[in-house]
Amino acid sequence: MQKLLPRLLSNPPKHSFSYFFSHSFSKTTYDPPFSPISKPPKPKPKPPDLTPNRNPTPIKSSLPFDFRHSYSETDPTLEPIGFREPKRFSPFGPGRLDREWTGTSAPVRDQLDSCLVEEESIRVLGDPLTEEEIEELVEKHRHSDCARQTNLGKNGVTHNMLDDIHNHWKRAEAVRIKCLGVPTLDMDNVCFQLEEKSGGKIIYRHINILILYWGRNYDPQNRPVIPLMLWKPYPPIYPKLVKNIADGLTFEETKEMRNRGLHSPALMKLMRNGVYVNVVARVREAFETEEVIRLDCIHVGKSDCKRIDVKLRDLAPCVPILFKDEQIILWRRKRDQERNSDISDANEKSSGQSLLDRLLVDSVAWKSHCC
């Protein structure tokens, strides 16, 4: 024990010196050189106010048409038989629009004069472009690496797409539109809806590529107000597309047509988000020799198959008699039905032309009477 004491005193623990050194000087007197200057603490940012505005100001738009989710893929004349969500749930948000949502559209409150709307669109378009100007714009925007491009998918010409077009027109006088999917079955309708709803002009069309020009007198600072849809509304419920018994056939004849269609070779094989520009022409050509045809849509999807059915029913025209395992069976209809439909279309055109002629005669007579 006596031998251990001098050894401990000669080799004291190191931590004892640090403890003595730290307690021998007070915190106020000890100031080592190059000590960091203490900075005042930064004030904490206030948390954002997450309470929404309960009374937002409704947006007023001067656009002269009813707002819909899709303008090219919906038929305003066809009334739904039911809705999948209440009508009070507007996709524009509660209280954000001065129009009432009806479940399928937001109609215009104040009907504008069609003549004034047409005059304004003509004024914005201005004089037509020359061939040199068109070639310059087409060469600038027709390539796939064009920065001013928007894509058009299976929903067609949507409402929010109009806002995208006007945003592109802030920095360029034309926008390239690439179309894919079901809307390419009827490119004429797509071009018509784009020109009517945006106010521009299609100056180039090649298969599924479009170039939309803004017009000579277009002012990006005075662009129309387009309220955005915050979400995609649920599609309403429409009548059944394929009937149990096709119109003009009995039950046995309908069953026989379906079996013939299922065992016949496929006319075409469609792919998902493909380009269906030539499908209608191929179907019409096949109906000249065949009574029933089959389309293979195994990779398209169930929802897109139904959209294709509806398009071909109106464009071919034909009768869809079966939709099974993503196979579409189309019937040509009877010859007398085709003849009657052609006669009714001709009568409608002639009646419309006669009505226009009568209105023209009445207007001329009214002007002469006033003079």
Side-chain angles (χ1 to χ4, degrees):
M1 187 69 183
Q2 293 178 356
K3 295 180 179 180
L4 291 174
L5 284 175
R7 188 179 299 175
L8 291 174
L9 292 175
S10 61
N11 298 324
K14 295 181 180 180
H15 63 83
S16 62
F17 291 102
S18 61
Y19 179 80
F20 172 77
F21 184 77
S22 61
H23 284 74
S24 61
F25 299 96
S26 63
K27 294 182 180 180
T28 58
T29 59
Y30 177 70
D31 187 14
F34 307 109
S35 60
I37 302 174
S38 60
K39 296 181 180 179
K42 295 182 179 180
K44 294 182 179 180
K46 295 181 179 180
D49 187 10
L50 300 178
T51 57
N53 188 7
R54 298 185 179 276
N55 296 318
T57 304
I59 302 174
K60 296 182 180 180
S61 179
S62 60
L63 293 175
F65 52 84
D66 301 344
F67 292 162
R68 294 178 174 272
H69 174 255
S70 177
Y71 297 105
S72 62
E73 304 305 303
T74 56
D75 187 4
T77 61
L78 186 60
E79 292 294 333
I81 59 176
F83 297 94
R84 292 184 172 89
E85 62 180 356
K87 298 180 182 180
R88 64 179 182 273
F89 295 150
S90 173
F92 296 96
R96 294 185 65 254
L97 188 65
D98 63 338
R99 303 184 184 186
E100 184 180 358
W101 180 254
T102 62
T104 57
S105 64
V108 182
R109 283 193 171 184
D110 301 326
Q111 293 292 339
L112 301 177
D113 190 2
S114 59
C115 296
L116 296 178
V117 174
E118 186 176 358
E119 290 177 0
E120 178 65 18
S121 63
I122 294 175
R123 184 195 67 80
V124 172
L125 289 177
D127 297 334
L129 297 174
T130 61
E131 294 183 1
E132 292 78 8
E133 292 174 335
I134 293 177
E135 290 179 359
E136 181 181 357
L137 286 174
V138 168
E139 184 62 28
K140 184 179 178 181
H141 293 88
R142 71 182 179 88
H143 301 285
S144 59
D145 58 349
C146 177
R148 302 302 164 197
Q149 173 179 317
T150 182
N151 296 325
L152 187 145
K154 66 178 183 180
N155 292 322
V157 183
T158 59
H159 180 77
N160 290 354
M161 183 180 176
L162 302 179
D163 186 71
D164 294 339
I165 291 173
H166 285 280
N167 289 336
H168 282 297
W169 281 347
K170 287 181 180 179
R171 299 171 181 84
E173 54 187 345
V175 58
R176 182 178 186 265
I177 301 175
K178 183 178 180 181
C179 307
L180 294 173
V182 182
T184 56
L185 284 168
D186 191 4
M187 289 297 296
D188 294 336
N189 183 36
V190 171
C191 296
F192 172 76
Q193 295 294 340
L194 284 173
E195 290 183 347
E196 183 184 24
K197 299 301 186 294
S198 67
K201 181 69 175 178
I202 300 290
I203 60 174
Y204 177 78
R205 173 180 171 182
H206 178 67
I207 307 177
N208 64 323
I209 303 299
L210 305 174
I211 295 180
L212 185 63
Y213 175 65
W214 65 1
R216 289 188 182 273
N217 301 323
Y218 177 81
D219 186 8
Q221 303 299 328
N222 296 327
R223 52 171 287 182
V225 178
I226 303 176
L228 296 179
M229 282 190 176
L230 303 183
W231 64 83
K232 178 182 176 180
Y234 284 102
I237 302 172
Y238 290 100
K240 192 175 180 181
L241 177 63
V242 179
K243 299 181 180 179
N244 294 330
I245 302 176
D247 296 335
L249 295 177
T250 62
F251 177 77
E252 297 296 333
E253 292 174 342
T254 304
K255 186 176 179 180
E256 181 186 357
M257 289 291 180
R258 289 171 178 169
N259 291 331
R260 284 174 54 187
L262 286 174
H263 293 88
S264 62
L267 176 65
M268 299 180 66
K269 185 175 182 179
L270 305 182
M271 303 300 293
R272 188 177 185 86
N273 291 331
V275 180
Y276 311 141
V277 175
N278 61 340
V279 172
V280 177
R282 291 280 301 275
V283 170
R284 289 176 179 174
E285 183 181 357
F287 276 148
E288 294 179 358
T289 56
E290 300 291 337
E291 192 174 6
V292 181
I293 63 173
R294 178 172 68 91
L295 298 178
D296 188 0
C297 306
I298 193 65
H299 300 292
V300 174
K302 187 175 180 180
S303 61
D304 286 1
C305 283
K306 293 182 179 179
R307 296 168 186 255
I308 293 173
D309 258 357
V310 175
K311 290 275 188 181
L312 292 177
R313 180 191 62 182
D314 301 332
L315 296 174
C318 58
V319 178
I321 59 176
L322 184 61
F323 172 72
K324 181 180 180 181
D325 298 333
E326 297 183 354
Q327 303 293 316
I328 298 176
I329 310 300
L330 302 175
W331 176 47
R332 183 183 59 188
R333 295 189 302 179
K334 293 183 177 180
R335 292 297 185 182
D336 54 351
Q337 291 181 351
E338 295 179 2
R339 195 179 303 109
N340 293 335
S341 63
D342 295 341
I343 293 173
S344 61
D345 294 341
N347 292 335
E348 289 179 0
K349 292 181 181 179
S350 62
S351 62
Q353 186 66 30
S354 61
L355 179 60
L356 291 175
D357 296 340
R358 187 164 63 252
L359 291 174
L360 181 61
V361 171
D362 293 342
S363 63
V364 172
W366 181 77
K367 290 181 180 178
S368 62
H369 177 72
C370 293
C371 296

